[in-house]
Amino acid sequence: MTQEAAAEKGLLETLDRWSKVIPEMRRRGIRVLPGGDYGFLWNPNGANARDLQYFVELYGFTPAEALRAATMYGGQLMGMGDELGLVREGYLADLLLVDGDPLQDISLLRDHDRITHIMQGGRFHKRPRREEYERLFTSAGQASSV
């Protein structure tokens, strides 16, 4: 959507209001979570990482706080905080491994080429090639035994 179209629909004013309201909610101790109605032309599926970047750039979250809001708070919101939302033994977790440190640059999560592994339900959905495993082990100073 262009800047002009967003202005015409009143979205710039909405963004300005949210940029004030969300930090105030956090200041008052209210847990704020990213997410919304995905699957529409203006908010396609797979845009979740964009929301995390907005939380950092527009609402003043640190990258760690944005990730916590999307994971731990999500599990709590669903009443499953003792089953979801953390990487911990016994918890259900889907994992994304990223080439880089999203705690330093949350925008890395938007770069599909930087996502090296995806594990869903204990099974790889995206797995690196054997050469990548060998490079990872070699760069870590470990013997390759993959």
Side-chain angles (χ1 to χ4, degrees):
M1 180 179 295
T2 66
Q3 184 93 2
E4 293 78 22
E8 184 178 308
K9 295 182 183 296
L11 298 177
L12 297 180
E13 292 85 10
T14 300
L15 180 62
D16 183 56
R17 283 192 301 270
W18 277 109
S19 294
K20 294 176 180 128
V21 168
I22 290 178
E24 179 60 20
M25 290 171 67
R26 285 183 58 228
R27 188 188 71 73
R28 294 180 183 203
I30 298 170
R31 290 176 290 184
V32 181
L33 286 73
D37 294 328
Y38 296 102
F40 295 99
L41 180 61
W42 62 88
N43 200 18
N45 288 319
N48 313 62
R50 179 191 59 197
D51 290 351
L52 295 175
Q53 190 170 348
Y54 289 166
F55 266 51
V56 171
E57 294 176 359
L58 301 175
Y59 308 145
F61 283 61
T62 67
E65 290 169 332
L67 288 166
R68 187 177 306 116
T71 56
M72 184 174 80
Y73 293 168
Q76 292 171 353
L77 177 71
M78 292 187 290
M80 301 174 75
D82 56 350
E83 300 173 51
L84 302 172
L86 298 172
V87 178
R88 183 176 283 168
E89 186 176 344
Y91 279 55
L92 177 62
D94 297 334
L95 303 173
L96 297 175
L97 298 179
V98 182
D99 180 14
D101 185 354
L103 296 180
Q104 297 300 313
D105 181 6
I106 196 79
S107 73
L108 294 175
L109 297 174
R110 295 185 68 185
D111 184 347
H112 294 215
D113 292 333
R114 302 292 293 264
I115 299 173
T116 62
H117 305 65
I118 300 173
M119 183 175 274
Q120 291 179 296
R123 296 177 184 251
F124 277 109
H125 174 69
K126 178 180 180 181
R127 142 189 340 246
R129 295 183 313 273
R130 180 179 181 87
E131 302 82 38
E132 179 64 14
Y133 278 121
E134 291 173 355
R135 184 188 68 77
L136 290 170
F137 281 112
T138 302
S139 67
Q142 299 175 4
S144 178
S145 60
V146 180

